[in-house]
Amino acid sequence: MLPLKDKDRPIAVALLGAGCCPRCILRFCCVSLQSAYRQPHEDILFELQRFIHEKVADESHGATEEVPADSPPCKKVRLEAEQGGEVHEGGEDISVVEGKSKICVVCLGVLQDFCDKDFAKKVAEAVTSEKYEFDSLVLSVSLPAQLSVREHSAWLLIKTEVRQKGLCLGKDDVIQVKEAFKWILQSLLSQQLGVPVVSKSPLEVSVGFTHPETDGDCHFLAAACSGCFKPAKNKLSVFTRMAVAKALERISEESFRRKFTCPPWLPATKCTVQEVQCLHAPVFVAGRYNKFSRTLPQTPWVIDGERRMESSVEELITSPLIASFQAEGFNFSSSGREDVDVRTLGNGRPFAVELLNPRRARFSPAEVRKIQEAINKSSDKIRVRDLQIVTRDAVGHMKEGEEEKTKSYSALIWTHKAIEEQDLEFINDIKDLGIAQKTPLRVLHRRPLAVRQRVIHTMATRFRDDHHFYLQLRTQAGTYIKEFVHGDFGRTKPSLGDLMKTETDILELDVESVDVDWPPAVTDPESGENPDLPASPQHGGTPDC
Amino acid sequence: MDETEVRRTPSVIDRYFTRWYKTDLKGKPCEDHCILQHSNRICVITLAESHPLLQNGKAIESINYQISAGCSRLQNKVSGKSKRGGQFLTELAPLCRIKNSDGEEYTVYSCVRGRLLEVNEDILTRPNLLLEKPSAEGYIAVLLPKFEESKSITDTLLTRAEYEDILLKRSAVKVDQ
Ligand SMILES: [Zn+2]
């Protein structure tokens, strides 16, 4: 039995006469019992007809005529409905007809031909062929925008009916096509795939419908409510669902009825289903890396479309990750970056990789550890530690307060003038030296010109020979070390050369530590110990700073 | 005794810049300019070591970035990554005029087409930088050529070898005289 009440009868009669499918009638009768929609189409129709005829039989005190299933919607009903007249005074006129071949004037077939096991099977096959690892999914449905126009037209039709019966029903009480469709397809899809279809899941399966025949249906709205349709950069058409809905809210009933049929005109074709799209939420992997090479850029280095340097930190880290997660793409980010000729030693630099649309997303700590080992085996130019799966929010910690953090460096300095050990002593005594740096010439082509105040907290020197010494620096993040040493045409003030009153240059630079406490250290899943000892730099290769 | 070292490693300019030259600017003998082009296309305009200002041992009297009544290079301002608002200069746009203690005035030109990013204001207060470190702290200006012109702007400039060749020929003429 359908949960219909007497007050629903005039609505059902009017809509059935207008060429509405049984499920759309349930929607407009505000039936919120999901199982009612899941019954086969024919059963709902049968029950609807019985519901209508029961009453009619009561009223007319006689038997109703049997109506042939294939006859078109009763002309008289439609005509009278358009005129807003009383339509069902006698039982003879309620020739409620719904043939299988008729396409619903409101849902354009969405609740007719795409609500069965066969369609659910098709969607399930599309999902399975993508080879995702998943234990739930969320179904999203996109419908042609012009469906709202038809919905509105049907609403105006029954509003007249309802008003005459003194019933109170708001447009918002009507069950949406999308909602009803999901109630039906979700349970079918769940049976096919053996996983729950829920409202929130990392795997989103999208089913989209188009209906070219009626694309022009919403064009009249542009003339009536031009303000609602503004071209947007990323939209193919101005007739988005949002814009159409807004225009329908604004347009007056008279003006709508003048420009569009009420009830909606009968289409010849049903909706076309687009390719099923699957998208898995990204997975974020974080860790810290060391870079031992002075000829390895952090990201692929391309000049004039030509590749310089055969690899990059980013590629060495992400290739094994992409293979393991079977991801479609990635975004690499890190807490700052080093130049191609700078090494990153110590505990390494925090990084995070966003893996896009991964087919596999769940890995145990032991499996993550294996991936880390694979990365470390693939090259001796880098080393990764503390590799772990993190949340999107946690990645924010990496960028938080990047400017306030300090960084430690070690540099090999050349001096033009010969030096002795005692010439370096005054440098060790300098504390919190403020410097003003104009945007270095080497990055000025892509960054704004500005003067930035930076602080060199401490410096420590170690004499090497009469023209060389080692300099340890602890500085505010964002300080350009190379420019502090050579002065950048006098554009960093004071420079080390200014302090020492001779020309100075930087021959080697290493990042010793990046003071960001993220991501947390990872313990070995087997031994429970952290085997990540501080990295020892591998010597060899000529410095080319 | 050996106070300074002749470097065995390349200098900052050697590492990141290419030296280009323009000699006898506007037909004035020996008024040579040196353009340091960074691999990122930025150009630093400097006086070449053969420029009369650096050769005759005279002190600098004045440096003037006001190149006409209505235009001063000191008013140049750029903003944002795209360097909006910077004056766009052609090859023979004057950058500044420099007078020495003999009252001789020389004009320094931009030498390349590009957007003016900055002029060196330090030489206004410390003109000796120009004499002591002409290709470092004594630079004149920084220009950013258009991306699509970054290769072609040096077509009309001389390489270091061509410039040295010209210097040799000049000294040969002098010896002849
Ligand atoms: Zn329908």
Side-chain angles (χ1 to χ4, degrees):
Chain A
M1 271 298 284
L2 294 171
L4 294 171
K5 302 190 179 74
D6 281 347
K7 69 173 171 66
D8 296 323
R9 193 164 283 112
I11 299 171
V13 170
L15 290 174
L16 206 47
C20 246
C21 76
R23 289 189 179 108
C24 279
I25 293 170
L26 295 184
R27 293 196 300 112
F28 279 100
C29 293
C30 306
V31 172
S32 56
L33 181 71
Q34 298 192 14
S35 60
Y37 293 85
R38 294 192 190 120
Q39 298 176 68
H41 191 260
E42 299 74 19
D43 294 5
I44 310 174
L45 178 62
F46 180 79
E47 284 205 42
L48 267 177
Q49 279 176 333
R50 207 172 56 184
F51 168 68
I52 292 166
H53 286 242
E54 261 168 23
K55 181 63 181 178
V56 170
D58 289 352
E59 276 177 355
S60 61
H61 308 288
T64 48
E65 258 177 70
E66 209 35 58
V67 178
D70 284 315
S71 62
C74 173
K75 279 245 172 72
K76 193 173 176 198
V77 172
R78 292 195 59 166
L79 201 70
E80 284 174 351
E82 274 164 32
Q83 289 159 352
E86 198 67 11
V87 288
H88 46 279
E89 276 306 298
E92 298 82 13
D93 284 332
I94 310 164
S95 39
V96 280
V97 178
E98 167 67 17
K100 261 198 150 172
S101 57
K102 291 282 170 295
I103 291 146
C104 173
V105 294
V106 178
C107 70
L108 299 172
V110 170
L111 294 177
Q112 296 173 299
D113 292 321
F114 303 99
C115 286
D116 55 10
K117 208 173 153 182
D118 282 350
F119 183 66
K121 216 175 216 165
K122 262 204 212 153
V123 176
E125 276 164 12
V127 177
T128 319
S129 72
E130 296 276 352
K131 300 203 165 33
Y132 284 97
E133 189 186 74
F134 64 107
D135 49 20
S136 71
L137 64 89
V138 58
L139 179 68
S140 82
V141 179
S142 102
L143 298 170
Q146 62 267 29
L147 229 55
S148 309
V149 175
R150 289 176 170 266
E151 188 86 358
H152 191 69
S153 168
W155 163 248
L156 292 181
L157 174 72
I158 60 150
K159 201 174 94 175
T160 313
E161 294 292 317
V162 170
R163 201 178 288 140
Q164 278 156 2
K165 293 285 167 196
L167 297 171
C168 186
L169 175 69
K171 197 182 175 185
D172 293 344
D173 298 320
V174 174
I175 307 294
Q176 306 262 302
V177 176
K178 194 183 269 189
E179 201 66 15
F181 177 75
K182 282 186 183 177
W183 287 345
I184 305 160
L185 193 66
Q186 280 176 347
S187 82
L188 291 169
L189 200 53
S190 182
Q191 285 163 28
Q192 290 291 327
L193 291 166
V195 300
V197 179
V198 291
S199 62
K200 238 186 140 199
S201 165
L203 183 62
E204 183 183 4
V205 176
S206 304
V207 177
F209 294 98
T210 56
H211 196 262
E213 187 191 351
T214 58
D215 270 345
D217 273 6
C218 35
H219 292 179
F220 76 92
L221 288 169
C225 300
S226 56
C228 298
F229 301 96
K230 299 228 168 70
K233 273 183 215 155
N234 50 348
K235 297 278 189 260
L236 289 169
S237 156
V238 294
F239 297 102
T240 61
R241 288 188 66 79
M242 290 284 282
V244 168
K246 204 161 139 197
L248 288 171
E249 264 172 39
R250 291 198 185 165
I251 195 166
S252 73
E253 179 167 347
E254 293 74 34
S255 138
F256 182 90
R257 280 175 179 271
R258 263 204 311 277
K259 289 178 180 125
F260 197 74
T261 55
C262 181
W265 55 277
L266 187 70
T269 56
K270 60 179 177 185
C271 275
T272 310
V273 66
Q274 293 170 296
E275 207 185 328
V276 174
Q277 303 280 337
C278 300
L279 185 67
H280 195 290
V283 174
F284 293 85
V285 174
R288 303 177 82 96
Y289 74 80
N290 291 120
K291 168 170 158 334
F292 301 123
S293 166
R294 294 197 193 278
T295 57
L296 184 70
Q298 195 206 36
T299 51
W301 196 9
V302 178
I303 296 176
D304 297 338
E306 246 178 80
R307 197 177 170 135
R308 309 282 177 94
M309 309 288 176
E310 60 195 55
S311 191
S312 66
V313 171
E314 178 187 285
E315 286 160 286
L316 290 172
I317 292 176
T318 54
S319 302
L321 283 172
I322 287 171
S324 300
F325 286 77
Q326 294 163 56
E328 240 168 47
F330 69 89
N331 288 309
F332 182 91
S333 58
S334 62
S335 180
R337 58 189 301 163
E338 63 282 304
D339 291 337
V340 58
D341 53 2
V342 174
R343 301 185 302 176
T344 296
L345 309 176
N347 258 340
R349 186 186 294 280
F351 70 91
V353 182
E354 176 182 14
L355 293 152
L356 302 170
N357 200 6
R359 297 311 193 256
R360 263 201 81 185
R362 278 168 305 162
F363 289 82
S364 70
E367 286 173 311
V368 174
R369 175 124 211 123
K370 285 225 170 69
I371 300 172
Q372 176 173 305
E373 279 161 19
I375 295 169
N376 289 340
K377 260 181 217 146
S378 72
S379 169
D380 55 9
K381 293 179 174 174
I382 61 152
R383 186 177 150 78
V384 167
R385 73 184 62 228
D386 298 334
L387 197 72
Q388 56 196 285
I389 293 176
V390 297
T391 63
R392 179 195 290 272
D393 293 342
V395 176
H397 297 317
M398 192 174 73
K399 295 275 172 193
E400 251 168 43
E402 214 173 52
E403 287 286 290
E404 290 83 59
K405 300 284 177 182
T406 61
K407 299 206 176 182
S408 301
Y409 300 88
S410 152
L412 176 59
I413 310 293
W414 169 88
T415 63
H416 181 59
K417 240 169 41 188
I419 49 165
E420 288 173 34
E421 270 195 85
Q422 59 258 39
D423 295 330
L424 302 175
E425 275 166 16
F426 82 103
I427 295 173
N428 300 320
D429 298 334
I430 296 174
K431 296 283 174 287
D432 294 324
L433 171 72
I435 61 168
Q437 293 201 296
K438 271 191 193 166
T439 307
L441 290 175
R442 70 185 153 103
V443 298
L444 186 57
H445 61 302
R446 55 184 167 87
R447 300 220 176 128
L449 176 61
V451 182
R452 293 180 186 81
Q453 306 298 323
R454 294 286 183 253
V455 178
I456 307 221
H457 297 297
T458 58
M459 288 186 276
T461 57
R462 184 158 59 84
F463 181 83
R464 198 184 89 169
D465 57 50
D466 51 6
H467 285 283
H468 297 91
F469 69 97
Y470 291 99
L471 180 67
Q472 304 264 353
L473 306 102
R474 208 164 59 77
T475 73
Q476 181 183 358
T479 308
Y480 291 102
I481 306 300
K482 289 176 178 174
E483 280 69 20
F484 167 65
V485 175
H486 63 59
D488 199 26
F489 291 76
R491 300 171 74 259
T492 285
K493 284 195 190 84
S495 65
L496 183 64
D498 293 336
L499 300 174
M500 297 186 69
K501 297 190 175 65
T502 181
E503 189 191 333
T504 53
D505 198 3
I506 183 162
L507 305 185
E508 285 176 11
L509 181 61
D510 294 331
V511 178
E512 294 289 353
S513 83
V514 181
D515 298 338
V516 175
D517 311 323
W518 188 89
V522 171
T523 48
D524 188 322
E526 274 133 45
S527 69
E529 282 162 21
N530 185 348
D532 289 330
L533 302 167
S536 55
Q538 296 163 8
H539 290 285
T542 40
D544 52 359
C545 179
Chain B
M1 178 192 130
D2 182 21
E3 264 290 288
T4 59
E5 183 196 42
V6 177
R7 300 184 57 149
R8 278 164 309 212
T9 50
S11 70
V12 171
I13 292 174
D14 296 331
R15 290 203 297 272
Y16 305 116
F17 293 83
T18 308
R19 291 177 171 87
W20 298 98
Y21 294 87
K22 210 172 170 79
T23 53
D24 307 319
L25 247 96
K26 285 230 170 171
K28 294 177 182 160
C30 301
E31 290 193 25
D32 306 334
H33 291 43
C34 173
I35 300 97
L36 303 171
Q37 189 179 32
H38 194 279
S39 54
N40 69 11
R41 85 176 187 274
I42 275 185
C43 292
V44 181
I45 314 303
T46 69
L47 294 180
E49 60 254 49
S50 51
H51 195 283
L53 277 167
L54 307 180
Q55 288 296 317
N56 56 19
K58 297 282 176 342
I60 303 286
E61 182 73 27
S62 72
I63 299 170
N64 193 355
Y65 282 114
Q66 183 88 38
I67 47 99
S68 69
C71 181
S72 167
R73 300 304 181 203
L74 290 172
Q75 277 155 5
N76 189 69
K77 285 257 173 344
V78 294
S79 68
K81 287 180 190 176
S82 56
K83 317 295 187 296
R84 283 181 309 276
Q87 302 168 2
F88 192 86
L89 306 183
T90 54
E91 295 92 326
L92 287 175
L95 289 172
C96 64
R97 300 188 211 286
I98 305 175
K99 237 183 236 171
N100 67 10
S101 52
D102 275 357
E104 292 162 330
E105 190 182 73
Y106 300 89
T107 302
V108 182
Y109 297 94
S110 78
C111 302
V112 290
R113 281 166 56 82
R115 195 174 291 281
L116 182 65
L117 300 190
E118 65 180 50
V119 293
N120 188 356
E121 293 182 32
D122 290 348
I123 54 176
L124 296 177
T125 49
R126 296 169 62 197
N128 268 355
L129 287 176
L130 201 59
L131 303 178
E132 290 159 10
K133 297 172 174 175
S135 57
E137 285 98 316
Y139 73 98
I140 305 291
V142 178
L143 270 86
L144 180 65
K146 286 183 181 174
F147 183 79
E148 61 274 21
E149 293 179 351
S150 57
K151 293 278 187 288
S152 59
I153 49 152
T154 53
D155 286 351
T156 56
L157 303 179
L158 305 172
T159 63
R160 173 87 188 167
E162 287 164 341
Y163 168 69
E164 280 170 356
D165 217 37
I166 285 180
L167 293 190
L168 274 176
K169 281 181 190 145
R170 275 187 199 156
S171 56
V173 171
K174 265 186 199 157
V175 170
D176 285 354
Q177 287 167 349

